[in-house]
Coordinates of all heavy atoms in Angstrom, one line a residue:
I1 N 0.9 -1.2 0.0 CA 0.0 0.0 0.0 C 0.9 1.2 0.0 O 1.8 1.3 0.8 CB -0.9 0.0 1.2 CG1 -1.9 -1.2 1.2 CG2 -1.6 1.3 1.3 CD1 -2.8 -1.3 2.4
E2 N 0.6 2.1 -0.9 CA 1.3 3.4 -1.0 C 0.3 4.5 -0.8 O -0.8 4.4 -1.3 CB 2.0 3.5 -2.3 CG 3.1 2.5 -2.6 CD 3.7 2.7 -3.9 OE1 4.0 3.9 -4.3 OE2 3.9 1.7 -4.6
T3 N 0.7 5.6 -0.1 CA -0.2 6.7 0.0 C 0.6 8.0 -0.5 O 1.8 8.1 -0.3 CB -0.6 7.0 1.4 OG1 0.5 7.2 2.3 CG2 -1.5 5.8 2.0
Y4 N -0.2 8.8 -1.1 CA 0.4 10.1 -1.6 C -0.4 11.2 -1.1 O -1.6 11.2 -1.3 CB 0.4 10.1 -3.2 CG 1.3 9.1 -3.8 CD1 0.9 7.8 -4.0 CD2 2.6 9.5 -4.3 CE1 1.8 6.9 -4.6 CE2 3.4 8.6 -4.8 CZ 3.0 7.3 -5.0 OH 3.8 6.3 -5.6
Q5 N 0.2 12.2 -0.5 CA -0.5 13.4 -0.1 C -0.6 14.5 -1.1 O -1.4 15.4 -1.1 CB 0.2 14.0 1.2 CG 0.3 13.0 2.3 CD -1.1 12.7 2.9 OE1 -2.0 13.5 3.0 NE2 -1.3 11.4 3.2
N6 N 0.3 14.3 -2.1 CA 0.4 15.4 -3.2 C 0.0 14.7 -4.5 O 0.7 13.9 -5.1 CB 1.8 15.9 -3.3 CG 2.0 17.0 -4.3 OD1 1.3 17.0 -5.3 ND2 2.9 17.9 -4.0
P7 N -1.2 15.1 -5.1 CA -1.6 14.5 -6.4 C -0.7 14.8 -7.5 O -0.5 13.9 -8.4 CB -3.0 15.2 -6.6 CG -3.3 16.0 -5.4 CD -2.1 16.1 -4.6
E8 N 0.0 15.9 -7.5 CA 1.0 16.2 -8.6 C 2.1 15.2 -8.5 O 2.6 14.7 -9.6 CB 1.5 17.6 -8.5 CG 0.4 18.6 -8.8 CD -0.1 18.6 -10.3 OE1 0.6 18.1 -11.2 OE2 -1.3 19.0 -10.5
L9 N 2.6 14.9 -7.3 CA 3.7 13.9 -7.2 C 3.2 12.5 -7.6 O 4.0 11.8 -8.3 CB 4.2 13.9 -5.7 CG 5.3 12.9 -5.4 CD1 6.5 13.1 -6.2 CD2 5.6 12.9 -3.9
F10 N 2.0 12.2 -7.3 CA 1.5 10.9 -7.7 C 1.4 10.8 -9.2 O 1.8 9.8 -9.8 CB 0.0 10.7 -7.1 CG -0.6 9.5 -7.7 CD1 -0.3 8.2 -7.3 CD2 -1.6 9.6 -8.7 CE1 -0.9 7.1 -7.8 CE2 -2.2 8.5 -9.2 CZ -1.9 7.2 -8.8
L11 N 1.0 11.9 -9.9 CA 0.9 11.9 -11.4 C 2.3 11.7 -12.0 O 2.4 11.1 -13.0 CB 0.3 13.2 -11.9 CG -1.2 13.2 -11.7 CD1 -1.8 14.6 -12.0 CD2 -2.0 12.2 -12.5
E12 N 3.3 12.2 -11.3 CA 4.7 12.1 -11.8 C 5.2 10.6 -11.6 O 6.0 10.1 -12.5 CB 5.7 13.0 -11.1 CG 5.5 14.5 -11.4 CD 6.4 15.3 -10.5 OE1 7.3 14.8 -9.9 OE2 6.1 16.6 -10.4
T13 N 4.8 9.9 -10.6 CA 5.3 8.6 -10.3 C 4.5 7.5 -10.7 O 5.0 6.4 -11.0 CB 5.6 8.5 -8.8 OG1 4.4 8.7 -8.1 CG2 6.6 9.5 -8.3
F14 N 3.2 7.6 -10.9 CA 2.3 6.5 -11.2 C 2.6 5.8 -12.5 O 2.5 4.6 -12.6 CB 0.8 6.8 -11.0 CG 0.1 7.0 -12.3 CD1 -0.5 5.9 -12.9 CD2 -0.1 8.2 -12.9 CE1 -1.2 6.1 -14.1 CE2 -0.8 8.4 -14.0 CZ -1.4 7.3 -14.6
P15 N 3.1 6.5 -13.6 CA 3.4 5.8 -14.8 C 4.4 4.7 -14.7 O 4.4 3.7 -15.5 CB 3.8 6.9 -15.8 CG 3.2 8.1 -15.2 CD 3.2 7.9 -13.7
S16 N 5.3 4.8 -13.7 CA 6.4 3.8 -13.6 C 6.0 2.7 -12.6 O 6.8 1.8 -12.3 CB 7.7 4.4 -13.1 OG 7.5 5.0 -11.8
R17 N 4.7 2.7 -12.1 CA 4.3 1.7 -11.2 C 3.1 0.9 -11.8 O 2.4 1.3 -12.7 CB 3.7 2.4 -9.9 CG 4.7 3.3 -9.3 CD 5.0 2.8 -7.9 NE 5.6 3.7 -7.1 CZ 6.8 3.5 -6.5 NH1 7.3 2.3 -6.7 NH2 7.3 4.3 -5.7
K18 N 2.9 -0.3 -11.2 CA 1.7 -1.1 -11.6 C 0.8 -1.2 -10.4 O 1.2 -1.8 -9.4 CB 2.2 -2.5 -12.0 CG 2.5 -2.6 -13.4 CD 2.0 -3.9 -14.0 CE 1.9 -3.7 -15.5 NZ 1.5 -4.7 -16.2
F19 N -0.3 -0.6 -10.4 CA -1.3 -0.6 -9.3 C -2.3 -1.7 -9.6 O -2.8 -1.9 -10.7 CB -1.9 0.7 -9.1 CG -1.0 1.8 -8.7 CD1 -0.3 2.6 -9.6 CD2 -0.8 2.0 -7.3 CE1 0.5 3.6 -9.1 CE2 0.1 3.0 -6.9 CZ 0.7 3.8 -7.8
T20 N -2.7 -2.4 -8.5 CA -3.8 -3.3 -8.7 C -5.2 -2.6 -8.4 O -6.2 -3.1 -8.9 CB -3.7 -4.5 -7.7 OG1 -3.6 -4.0 -6.3 CG2 -2.5 -5.3 -8.0
C21 N -5.2 -1.5 -7.7 CA -6.3 -0.7 -7.6 C -5.9 0.7 -7.0 O -4.8 0.8 -6.5 CB -7.4 -1.3 -6.7 SG -7.1 -1.4 -4.9
M22 N -6.8 1.6 -7.1 CA -6.5 3.0 -6.6 C -7.7 3.5 -5.8 O -8.8 3.3 -6.2 CB -6.2 4.0 -7.7 CG -5.0 3.7 -8.5 SD -4.8 5.0 -9.7 CE -3.6 4.3 -10.8
L23 N -7.4 4.1 -4.6 CA -8.5 4.8 -3.9 C -8.1 6.2 -3.9 O -7.1 6.6 -3.4 CB -8.5 4.3 -2.4 CG -9.2 3.0 -2.1 CD1 -8.4 1.8 -2.6 CD2 -9.5 2.9 -0.7
L24 N -9.0 7.0 -4.5 CA -8.8 8.5 -4.6 C -9.8 9.2 -3.7 O -11.0 9.0 -3.7 CB -9.0 8.9 -6.0 CG -8.2 8.3 -7.1 CD1 -8.5 8.8 -8.5 CD2 -6.7 8.4 -6.8
D25 N -9.2 10.1 -2.9 CA -10.0 11.0 -2.1 C -10.6 12.1 -2.9 O -9.9 12.7 -3.8 CB -9.2 11.6 -1.0 CG -10.0 12.2 0.2 OD1 -11.2 12.5 0.0 OD2 -9.4 12.5 1.2
I26 N -11.9 12.4 -2.7 CA -12.5 13.5 -3.5 C -12.0 14.8 -3.2 O -11.7 15.7 -4.0 CB -14.0 13.4 -3.4 CG1 -14.6 12.2 -4.0 CG2 -14.7 14.7 -4.0 CD1 -16.1 12.0 -3.9
H27 N -11.8 15.1 -1.9 CA -11.4 16.4 -1.4 C -9.9 16.4 -1.0 O -9.6 15.8 0.0 CB -12.3 16.9 -0.3 CG -13.7 17.0 -0.6 ND1 -14.2 17.9 -1.5 CD2 -14.8 16.2 -0.3 CE1 -15.5 17.8 -1.6 NE2 -15.8 16.7 -0.9
M28 N -9.1 17.0 -1.8 CA -7.7 17.2 -1.5 C -7.3 18.6 -1.7 O -7.9 19.3 -2.5 CB -6.8 16.3 -2.5 CG -7.1 14.8 -2.3 SD -6.1 13.8 -3.5 CE -6.9 14.2 -5.0
P29 N -6.2 19.1 -1.0 CA -5.9 20.5 -1.1 C -5.4 21.0 -2.5 O -5.8 22.1 -2.9 CB -4.8 20.7 -0.1 CG -4.6 19.4 0.6 CD -5.4 18.3 -0.1
L30 N -4.7 20.2 -3.2 CA -4.1 20.7 -4.4 C -4.9 20.4 -5.7 O -4.8 21.0 -6.7 CB -2.7 20.1 -4.6 CG -1.7 20.5 -3.5 CD1 -0.4 19.8 -3.6 CD2 -1.5 22.0 -3.4
M31 N -5.7 19.3 -5.6 CA -6.5 18.9 -6.8 C -7.6 18.0 -6.3 O -7.4 17.2 -5.4 CB -5.6 18.1 -7.7 CG -6.3 17.6 -9.0 SD -5.2 16.5 -10.0 CE -3.8 17.5 -10.2
D32 N -8.8 18.2 -6.8 CA -9.9 17.3 -6.3 C -9.7 15.9 -7.0 O -9.1 15.8 -8.0 CB -11.3 17.9 -6.6 CG -11.6 17.9 -8.0 OD1 -12.0 16.9 -8.6 OD2 -11.6 19.1 -8.6
G33 N -10.3 14.9 -6.3 CA -10.2 13.5 -6.8 C -10.8 13.3 -8.1 O -10.3 12.4 -8.9
F34 N -11.8 14.0 -8.5 CA -12.4 13.9 -9.8 C -11.5 14.3 -10.9 O -11.3 13.6 -11.9 CB -13.7 14.6 -9.9 CG -14.8 14.2 -8.9 CD1 -15.4 15.1 -8.1 CD2 -15.1 12.9 -8.8 CE1 -16.4 14.7 -7.2 CE2 -16.1 12.5 -7.9 CZ -16.7 13.4 -7.1
S35 N -10.8 15.4 -10.7 CA -9.8 15.9 -11.7 C -8.6 14.9 -11.8 O -8.1 14.6 -12.9 CB -9.3 17.3 -11.3 OG -10.3 18.2 -11.3
L36 N -8.2 14.4 -10.6 CA -7.1 13.4 -10.6 C -7.5 12.1 -11.4 O -6.7 11.6 -12.2 CB -6.7 13.1 -9.2 CG -5.5 12.1 -9.0 CD1 -4.3 12.5 -9.8 CD2 -5.2 11.8 -7.6
Y37 N -8.7 11.7 -11.1 CA -9.2 10.5 -11.8 C -9.2 10.7 -13.3 O -8.7 9.8 -14.1 CB -10.7 10.3 -11.4 CG -11.4 9.2 -12.1 CD1 -11.3 7.8 -11.7 CD2 -12.2 9.4 -13.2 CE1 -11.9 6.8 -12.4 CE2 -12.8 8.4 -13.9 CZ -12.7 7.1 -13.4 OH -13.3 6.1 -14.1
E38 N -9.6 11.8 -13.8 CA -9.7 12.1 -15.2 C -8.2 12.1 -15.8 O -8.0 11.6 -16.9 CB -10.4 13.4 -15.6 CG -11.9 13.2 -15.3 CD -12.7 14.4 -15.4 OE1 -12.2 15.6 -15.3 OE2 -13.9 14.3 -15.6
K39 N -7.3 12.6 -15.1 CA -5.9 12.7 -15.5 C -5.3 11.3 -15.6 O -4.6 10.9 -16.5 CB -5.0 13.6 -14.7 CG -5.4 15.0 -14.9 CD -4.5 15.9 -14.0 CE -4.9 17.4 -14.3 NZ -3.9 18.3 -14.2
V40 N -5.6 10.5 -14.6 CA -5.1 9.1 -14.5 C -5.6 8.3 -15.6 O -4.9 7.6 -16.4 CB -5.4 8.4 -13.1 CG1 -5.2 6.9 -13.2 CG2 -4.6 9.1 -12.0
I41 N -7.0 8.3 -15.8 CA -7.5 7.4 -16.9 C -7.2 7.8 -18.3 O -7.2 7.0 -19.2 CB -9.0 7.1 -16.7 CG1 -9.8 8.4 -16.9 CG2 -9.4 6.5 -15.4 CD1 -11.3 8.2 -17.1
S42 N -6.8 9.1 -18.5 CA -6.5 9.5 -19.8 C -5.0 9.4 -20.1 O -4.5 9.6 -21.2 CB -6.9 11.0 -20.0 OG -6.2 11.8 -19.2
H43 N -4.2 9.0 -19.1 CA -2.8 8.8 -19.3 C -2.5 7.5 -20.0 O -3.1 6.5 -19.7 CB -2.1 8.8 -17.9 CG -0.6 9.0 -18.0 ND1 0.3 8.0 -18.4 CD2 0.2 10.1 -17.8 CE1 1.5 8.5 -18.4 NE2 1.5 9.8 -18.0
P44 N -1.5 7.5 -21.0 CA -1.2 6.3 -21.8 C -0.8 5.1 -21.0 O -1.0 4.0 -21.4 CB -0.1 6.8 -22.7 CG -0.1 8.3 -22.7 CD -0.8 8.7 -21.4
S45 N -0.2 5.4 -19.8 CA 0.3 4.2 -19.0 C -0.8 3.6 -18.0 O -0.5 2.7 -17.3 CB 1.5 4.6 -18.2 OG 1.2 5.6 -17.2
Y46 N -2.0 4.2 -18.0 CA -3.0 3.7 -17.1 C -3.3 2.3 -17.6 O -3.6 2.0 -18.7 CB -4.2 4.6 -17.2 CG -5.4 4.0 -16.5 CD1 -5.4 3.7 -15.1 CD2 -6.6 3.8 -17.1 CE1 -6.5 3.2 -14.5 CE2 -7.7 3.2 -16.5 CZ -7.7 2.9 -15.2 OH -8.7 2.4 -14.5
N47 N -3.3 1.3 -16.7 CA -3.5 -0.1 -17.0 C -4.9 -0.6 -16.8 O -5.1 -1.8 -16.9 CB -2.5 -0.9 -16.2 CG -2.7 -0.9 -14.7 OD1 -3.6 -0.3 -14.3 ND2 -1.9 -1.7 -14.0
G48 N -5.8 0.3 -16.6 CA -7.2 -0.2 -16.4 C -7.5 -0.7 -15.0 O -8.6 -1.3 -14.8
C49 N -6.6 -0.5 -14.0 CA -6.9 -1.0 -12.7 C -8.2 -0.3 -12.1 O -8.5 0.8 -12.5 CB -5.7 -0.8 -11.8 SG -5.4 0.9 -11.3
P50 N -8.9 -1.0 -11.2 CA -10.1 -0.5 -10.6 C -9.8 0.8 -9.8 O -8.8 0.8 -9.1 CB -10.6 -1.6 -9.8 CG -9.8 -2.8 -10.1 CD -8.6 -2.4 -10.8
I51 N -10.6 1.8 -9.9 CA -10.4 3.0 -9.2 C -11.7 3.2 -8.3 O -12.8 3.2 -8.8 CB -10.1 4.2 -10.1 CG1 -8.8 4.0 -10.8 CG2 -10.1 5.5 -9.2 CD1 -8.5 5.1 -11.8
F52 N -11.5 3.5 -7.0 CA -12.5 3.8 -6.1 C -12.4 5.2 -5.6 O -11.3 5.7 -5.5 CB -12.4 2.9 -4.8 CG -12.5 1.4 -5.1 CD1 -11.4 0.7 -5.6 CD2 -13.6 0.7 -4.8 CE1 -11.5 -0.7 -5.9 CE2 -13.7 -0.7 -5.0 CZ -12.6 -1.3 -5.6
F53 N -13.5 5.8 -5.3 CA -13.5 7.1 -4.7 C -13.8 6.9 -3.2 O -14.6 6.1 -2.8 CB -14.5 8.1 -5.3 CG -14.1 8.7 -6.5 CD1 -14.6 8.3 -7.8 CD2 -13.1 9.7 -6.6 CE1 -14.2 8.9 -8.9 CE2 -12.6 10.3 -7.7 CZ -13.2 9.8 -8.9
L54 N -13.1 7.7 -2.4 CA -13.1 7.7 -0.9 C -13.4 9.1 -0.5 O -12.7 10.0 -0.9 CB -11.8 7.1 -0.4 CG -11.6 7.2 1.1 CD1 -12.4 6.0 1.7 CD2 -10.1 7.0 1.4
S55 N -14.4 9.3 0.4 CA -14.7 10.6 0.9 C -15.5 10.6 2.1 O -16.3 9.7 2.3 CB -15.4 11.4 -0.2 OG -15.5 12.8 0.2
S56 N -15.3 11.7 2.9 CA -16.3 11.9 4.0 C -17.5 12.6 3.5 O -18.5 12.6 4.2 CB -15.6 12.7 5.1 OG -15.2 14.0 4.5
D57 N -17.5 13.1 2.3 CA -18.7 13.7 1.7 C -19.6 12.5 1.2 O -19.3 11.9 0.2 CB -18.3 14.6 0.5 CG -19.5 15.2 -0.2 OD1 -20.6 14.9 0.1 OD2 -19.2 16.0 -1.2
D58 N -20.6 12.2 2.0 CA -21.4 11.1 1.7 C -22.7 11.5 1.0 O -23.7 10.8 1.0 CB -21.8 10.4 3.0 CG -21.5 8.9 3.0 OD1 -21.0 8.4 2.0 OD2 -21.8 8.3 4.0
S59 N -22.7 12.6 0.3 CA -23.8 13.1 -0.4 C -24.2 12.3 -1.6 O -23.3 11.7 -2.2 CB -23.7 14.6 -0.8 OG -22.7 14.7 -1.8
D60 N -25.4 12.3 -2.0 CA -25.8 11.7 -3.3 C -25.0 12.2 -4.5 O -24.6 11.5 -5.4 CB -27.3 11.8 -3.5 CG -28.2 11.0 -2.6 OD1 -27.7 10.0 -2.0 OD2 -29.4 11.3 -2.5
T61 N -24.8 13.5 -4.5 CA -24.1 14.2 -5.6 C -22.7 13.6 -5.7 O -22.3 13.2 -6.8 CB -24.0 15.7 -5.3 OG1 -25.3 16.2 -5.2 CG2 -23.2 16.4 -6.4
A62 N -22.0 13.4 -4.6 CA -20.6 12.9 -4.7 C -20.6 11.4 -5.1 O -19.8 11.0 -5.9 CB -19.9 13.0 -3.3
R63 N -21.6 10.6 -4.6 CA -21.7 9.2 -4.9 C -22.0 9.0 -6.4 O -21.4 8.3 -7.1 CB -22.8 8.5 -4.1 CG -22.4 8.3 -2.6 CD -23.6 7.7 -1.9 NE -23.2 7.4 -0.5 CZ -22.5 6.3 -0.1 NH1 -22.2 5.5 -1.0 NH2 -22.2 6.2 1.1
I64 N -23.0 9.8 -6.9 CA -23.5 9.7 -8.3 C -22.4 10.1 -9.2 O -22.1 9.5 -10.2 CB -24.8 10.5 -8.5 CG1 -25.9 9.8 -7.7 CG2 -25.1 10.6 -10.0 CD1 -27.2 10.6 -7.6
K65 N -21.7 11.2 -8.9 CA -20.6 11.7 -9.8 C -19.5 10.7 -9.9 O -19.0 10.4 -10.9 CB -20.1 13.1 -9.3 CG -19.0 13.6 -10.3 CD -18.7 15.1 -10.0 CE -17.7 15.6 -11.0 NZ -17.4 17.0 -10.8
S66 N -19.2 10.1 -8.7 CA -18.1 9.1 -8.7 C -18.4 7.9 -9.7 O -17.6 7.5 -10.5 CB -17.9 8.5 -7.3 OG -17.6 9.5 -6.4
L67 N -19.6 7.4 -9.5 CA -20.0 6.3 -10.4 C -20.2 6.7 -11.8 O -19.9 5.9 -12.7 CB -21.3 5.6 -9.8 CG -21.1 5.1 -8.4 CD1 -22.4 4.6 -7.8 CD2 -20.1 3.9 -8.4
T68 N -20.7 7.9 -12.1 CA -21.0 8.3 -13.4 C -19.6 8.5 -14.2 O -19.5 8.2 -15.4 CB -21.7 9.7 -13.4 OG1 -23.0 9.5 -12.8 CG2 -22.0 10.2 -14.8
L69 N -18.6 8.9 -13.5 CA -17.3 9.1 -14.1 C -16.7 7.7 -14.5 O -15.8 7.6 -15.3 CB -16.3 9.8 -13.2 CG -16.5 11.3 -13.1 CD1 -15.6 11.9 -12.0 CD2 -16.2 12.0 -14.4
G70 N -17.1 6.7 -13.8 CA -16.6 5.3 -14.1 C -15.9 4.6 -12.9 O -15.3 3.6 -13.2
A71 N -15.9 5.2 -11.7 CA -15.3 4.5 -10.6 C -16.0 3.2 -10.3 O -17.2 3.0 -10.6 CB -15.4 5.4 -9.4
V72 N -15.3 2.3 -9.8 CA -15.8 1.0 -9.4 C -16.8 1.1 -8.3 O -17.9 0.4 -8.3 CB -14.7 0.0 -9.0 CG1 -15.3 -1.3 -8.5 CG2 -13.8 -0.3 -10.2
D73 N -16.5 1.9 -7.3 CA -17.4 2.1 -6.2 C -17.1 3.4 -5.5 O -16.0 4.0 -5.7 CB -17.3 0.9 -5.2 CG -18.4 0.7 -4.3 OD1 -19.4 1.6 -4.3 OD2 -18.4 -0.3 -3.5
F74 N -17.9 3.8 -4.6 CA -17.7 5.0 -3.7 C -17.7 4.4 -2.3 O -18.5 3.7 -1.8 CB -18.9 6.0 -3.8 CG -18.8 7.1 -2.9 CD1 -18.2 8.3 -3.3 CD2 -19.2 7.1 -1.6 CE1 -18.1 9.4 -2.5 CE2 -19.2 8.1 -0.7 CZ -18.6 9.3 -1.2
I75 N -16.6 4.8 -1.5 CA -16.4 4.4 -0.2 C -16.5 5.6 0.7 O -15.7 6.5 0.7 CB -15.1 3.6 0.0 CG1 -15.1 2.4 -0.9 CG2 -14.9 3.2 1.5 CD1 -13.7 1.7 -1.0
G76 N -17.5 5.6 1.6 CA -17.6 6.7 2.6 C -16.7 6.4 3.7 O -16.4 5.3 4.1
R77 N -16.1 7.5 4.2 CA -15.1 7.4 5.3 C -15.7 6.8 6.6 O -15.0 6.4 7.4 CB -14.4 8.7 5.5 CG -13.4 9.0 4.4 CD -12.2 9.7 5.0 NE -11.3 9.9 3.9 CZ -10.6 11.0 3.8 NH1 -10.7 12.0 4.7 NH2 -9.7 11.1 2.8
L78 N -17.0 6.9 6.7 CA -17.6 6.4 8.0 C -17.8 4.9 7.9 O -18.3 4.3 8.9 CB -18.9 7.2 8.3 CG -18.7 8.7 8.4 CD1 -20.0 9.4 8.7 CD2 -17.7 9.0 9.5
M79 N -17.5 4.3 6.8 CA -17.6 2.9 6.6 C -16.6 2.2 7.5 O -15.5 2.6 7.7 CB -17.4 2.6 5.1 CG -17.6 1.2 4.7 SD -17.3 1.0 2.9 CE -18.6 2.1 2.3
S80 N -17.0 1.0 7.9 CA -16.1 0.2 8.8 C -14.9 -0.3 7.9 O -15.1 -0.5 6.7 CB -16.8 -1.0 9.4 OG -17.1 -1.9 8.4
P81 N -13.8 -0.5 8.5 CA -12.6 -1.0 7.7 C -13.0 -2.4 7.1 O -12.6 -2.7 6.0 CB -11.5 -1.2 8.8 CG -11.9 -0.2 9.8 CD -13.4 -0.2 9.9
E82 N -13.7 -3.2 7.8 CA -14.1 -4.5 7.2 C -15.0 -4.4 6.0 O -14.8 -5.1 5.0 CB -14.9 -5.3 8.3 CG -14.0 -5.7 9.5 CD -13.9 -4.6 10.5 OE1 -14.6 -3.6 10.4 OE2 -13.1 -4.8 11.4
E83 N -15.9 -3.4 6.0 CA -16.8 -3.2 4.8 C -15.9 -2.7 3.7 O -16.1 -3.1 2.5 CB -17.9 -2.3 5.1 CG -18.8 -2.1 3.9 CD -20.0 -1.2 4.1 OE1 -20.2 -0.7 5.3 OE2 -20.7 -0.9 3.2
M84 N -15.0 -1.8 4.0 CA -14.1 -1.2 2.9 C -13.3 -2.3 2.3 O -13.2 -2.4 1.0 CB -13.2 -0.1 3.5 CG -12.3 0.5 2.4 SD -11.0 1.6 2.9 CE -11.7 2.6 4.1
I85 N -12.7 -3.2 3.0 CA -11.9 -4.3 2.5 C -12.8 -5.2 1.6 O -12.4 -5.6 0.5 CB -11.2 -5.1 3.6 CG1 -10.1 -4.2 4.2 CG2 -10.6 -6.4 3.1 CD1 -9.6 -4.7 5.5
A86 N -14.0 -5.5 2.1 CA -14.9 -6.4 1.4 C -15.3 -5.7 0.0 O -15.4 -6.4 -1.0 CB -16.2 -6.7 2.2
R87 N -15.5 -4.4 0.0 CA -15.9 -3.7 -1.2 C -14.7 -3.8 -2.2 O -14.9 -4.0 -3.4 CB -16.3 -2.3 -1.0 CG -17.7 -2.2 -0.4 CD -18.0 -0.7 -0.1 NE -19.3 -0.5 0.4 CZ -20.4 -0.3 -0.4 NH1 -20.3 -0.2 -1.7 NH2 -21.6 -0.2 0.1
V88 N -13.5 -3.5 -1.7 CA -12.3 -3.5 -2.6 C -12.1 -4.9 -3.2 O -11.8 -5.1 -4.4 CB -11.1 -3.0 -1.9 CG1 -9.8 -3.2 -2.7 CG2 -11.3 -1.5 -1.6
K89 N -12.2 -5.9 -2.3 CA -12.0 -7.3 -2.8 C -13.1 -7.8 -3.8 O -12.8 -8.6 -4.7 CB -12.0 -8.3 -1.6 CG -10.8 -8.2 -0.8 CD -10.8 -9.3 0.3 CE -9.5 -9.3 1.0 NZ -9.5 -10.3 2.1
S90 N -14.3 -7.2 -3.7 CA -15.4 -7.7 -4.6 C -15.2 -7.0 -6.0 O -15.7 -7.5 -6.9 CB -16.7 -7.4 -4.0 OG -17.0 -6.0 -4.1

């Protein structure tokens, strides 16, 4: 498991890595998760790995936008760790 606090740094390093899945936070200081998602999936080195959105914003708007963009699932931060693991595994 790798975590990145800076989306720009992630964009610089992800092309040289093979991810099995990605969890993107919707609300980040330098770039929102939706913008990061669009940059990742449009990058030539994106390998089609599943991408999940993670957020404390549990609104219908956030959930629907996540799924409409093409994320595998939306994970609310108030979800138990066991449920989050089960969702990622499924």
Side-chain angles (χ1 to χ4, degrees):
I1 296 175
E2 295 180 44
T3 60
Y4 293 82
Q5 300 298 318
N6 182 328
E8 293 295 336
L9 177 61
F10 173 75
L11 287 171
E12 290 174 16
T13 60
F14 105 88
S16 63
R17 305 242 195 235
K18 274 221 161 179
F19 291 94
T20 55
C21 73
M22 294 182 196
L23 278 75
L24 303 180
D25 194 344
I26 291 175
H27 300 289
M28 297 180 287
L30 302 173
M31 179 186 309
D32 69 76
F34 299 130
S35 298
L36 180 58
Y37 174 86
E38 290 173 339
K39 288 181 182 212
V40 167
I41 65 167
S42 67
H43 196 281
S45 67
Y46 171 60
N47 66 357
C49 74
I51 299 178
F52 299 78
F53 280 107
L54 173 74
S55 184
S56 58
D57 178 356
D58 232 0
S59 68
D60 286 345
T61 303
R63 289 176 175 278
I64 292 166
K65 184 170 183 177
S66 298
L67 298 171
T68 301
L69 283 174
V72 172
D73 202 354
F74 176 94
I75 299 172
R77 285 216 177 142
L78 301 178
M79 185 178 296
S80 71
E82 294 81 12
E83 183 180 353
M84 182 188 317
I85 290 168
R87 284 177 177 268
V88 171
K89 283 183 176 180
S90 74

